[in-house]
Amino acid sequence: MELTPDCEALADAYSHRTSARIRGPYYATDRVSRHLKPPVTVDSAADNIVDISDVHFAFGARSIYTGLDIAIPRGAVTAIMGPSGCGKSTLLNFIGGRLVPDRGTVTFDGTSVPGLARDALFDLRRHMGMMFQASALLTDLSVFDNVAFPLRENTDLPEPLIRNLVLLKLELVGLRGARDLRPAELSGGMARRVALARAIAMDPAIVMYDEPFTGLDPISKGIIVKLIRELNEALNTTSIVVTHDVTEGCSIADYAYLLGGGCVVGHGTPAQLMSSEQTEIHQFMAGLPDGPVPFHYPARTYERDLLDD
């Protein structure tokens, strides 16, 4: 994505004016004027912005993870895929500190997330953007105020600069002209784009997308796919895309993980996963109705259910 000269000038001004204004000591680097991304790799811990190691977690008696290991390479688009209920969205809750694993480690940019004190956790979250599955726009606020919300809550920036930043983010997603509309006046695709603009409002080090393609028509889906890929490049950030849409996820991902059975079933480039002959991977990537992931939910035999009173 190419920024217009006005947008480039505003981004440059923003990079020099905000670092001292963001509340919290963690914001110590210039997010806008960073150097180009390093090559995509998961071989070196220094190149990973998120490291998840041997994570175990259960909701009551239901086990979700039984030794999950994931490394998110810095500067890349990483897709987290898998069937419904395998714990994809739960993974984002660990990174953001909303959930704590029963066992294992979760680190963000070298900082251990579990066990952080409230203030330290909030400081860390200022470097994370989140696009929620249902957009989660504040219904009583305009599009402009929804995007401005994180800036007003987390910075001491003057209102004129916040206005310019909001207009910049809305311009990037093509909705500057819709800034006065309310969420109820937006289509599903437009609401998702506003949620994306809000997610990048703070120029986060990482943006997490929870099922960004669900419920969208083909045109809106194509727009979101394009924005995720191009904004990752333009803003020089890291993206985690949680999705069960194989086509869209593979079209923008540099690297992908496939979850199932409480752990990583397979990982690699999209091309490597698509060509895999491993049965668990092939079933999901090809959309087969039956296989290692069964069609029927575990139950006793149908005949026994019929015979019981």
Side-chain angles (χ1 to χ4, degrees):
M1 175 181 290
E2 295 184 359
L3 300 180
T4 64
D6 289 342
C7 287
E8 288 180 346
L10 179 56
D12 183 64
Y14 173 52
S15 70
H16 288 89
R17 295 181 64 179
T18 57
S19 60
R21 292 179 179 271
I22 301 292
R23 298 181 190 137
Y26 193 85
Y27 198 98
T29 58
D30 184 342
R31 288 283 304 128
V32 177
S33 61
R34 292 185 304 167
H35 296 296
L36 295 176
K37 297 187 302 180
V40 176
T41 177
V42 294
D43 295 331
S44 172
D47 292 329
N48 299 327
I49 191 168
V50 174
D51 275 295
I52 295 171
S53 178
D54 193 31
V55 163
H56 294 247
F57 182 73
F59 284 115
R62 183 190 171 204
S63 178
I64 306 298
Y65 298 137
T66 56
L68 187 70
D69 294 290
I70 286 181
I72 304 297
R74 191 183 305 273
V77 177
T78 301
I80 307 296
M81 300 188 294
S84 298
C86 71
K88 302 186 298 296
S89 298
T90 303
L91 178 69
L92 303 184
N93 286 322
F94 284 131
I95 298 172
R98 291 188 65 230
L99 293 175
V100 176
D102 299 327
R103 194 172 90 209
T105 61
V106 179
T107 61
F108 172 78
D109 209 9
T111 299
S112 178
V113 178
L116 279 178
R118 179 184 176 89
D119 289 345
L121 179 59
F122 282 9
D123 283 340
L124 200 68
R125 285 177 178 169
R126 292 187 180 106
H127 307 280
M128 304 176 185
M130 179 73 181
M131 180 176 168
F132 295 93
Q133 188 170 151
S135 299
L137 299 180
L138 301 172
T139 57
D140 291 336
L141 299 184
S142 67
V143 164
F144 182 96
D145 288 331
N146 265 279
V147 179
F149 185 81
L151 292 166
R152 289 168 174 161
E153 287 294 311
N154 295 293
T155 78
D156 295 318
L157 294 172
E159 196 63 28
L161 183 54
I162 288 179
R163 178 182 183 275
N164 289 340
L165 289 172
V166 171
L167 293 180
L168 170 63
K169 304 306 181 184
L170 288 174
E171 176 72 10
L172 290 174
V173 300
L175 291 179
R176 181 170 47 84
R179 62 182 178 269
D180 294 325
L181 298 181
R182 295 296 179 95
E185 301 175 279
L186 304 175
S187 67
M190 292 173 70
R192 210 65 63 89
R193 282 193 275 167
V194 174
L196 176 50
R198 183 180 60 185
I200 64 173
M202 294 278 291
D203 277 346
I206 188 169
V207 183
M208 296 178 282
Y209 301 87
D210 190 4
E211 298 288 2
F213 315 121
T214 300
L216 297 182
D217 65 80
I219 295 176
S220 296
K221 188 180 294 186
I223 291 172
I224 295 299
V225 167
K226 178 176 183 289
L227 284 172
I228 292 174
R229 181 73 256 181
E230 294 188 349
L231 287 175
N232 192 81
E233 300 289 341
L235 301 179
N236 199 18
T237 189
T238 300
S239 300
I240 302 177
V241 182
V242 163
T243 182
H244 56 253
D245 289 307
V246 172
T247 301
E248 287 73 21
C250 288
S251 71
I252 58 174
D254 298 301
Y255 204 80
Y257 285 88
L258 181 60
L259 306 187
C263 60
V264 173
V265 174
H267 62 95
T269 65
Q272 289 171 333
L273 291 182
M274 291 297 292
S275 61
S276 175
E277 296 181 0
Q278 185 178 333
T279 54
E280 295 89 348
I281 297 175
H282 180 67
Q283 181 190 5
F284 182 81
M285 303 302 285
L288 302 180
D290 213 348
V293 179
F295 173 73
H296 287 285
Y297 192 84
R300 59 182 182 174
T301 65
Y302 181 49
E303 291 82 0
R304 186 170 179 181
D305 266 351
L306 290 176
L307 292 173
D308 282 350
D309 293 330

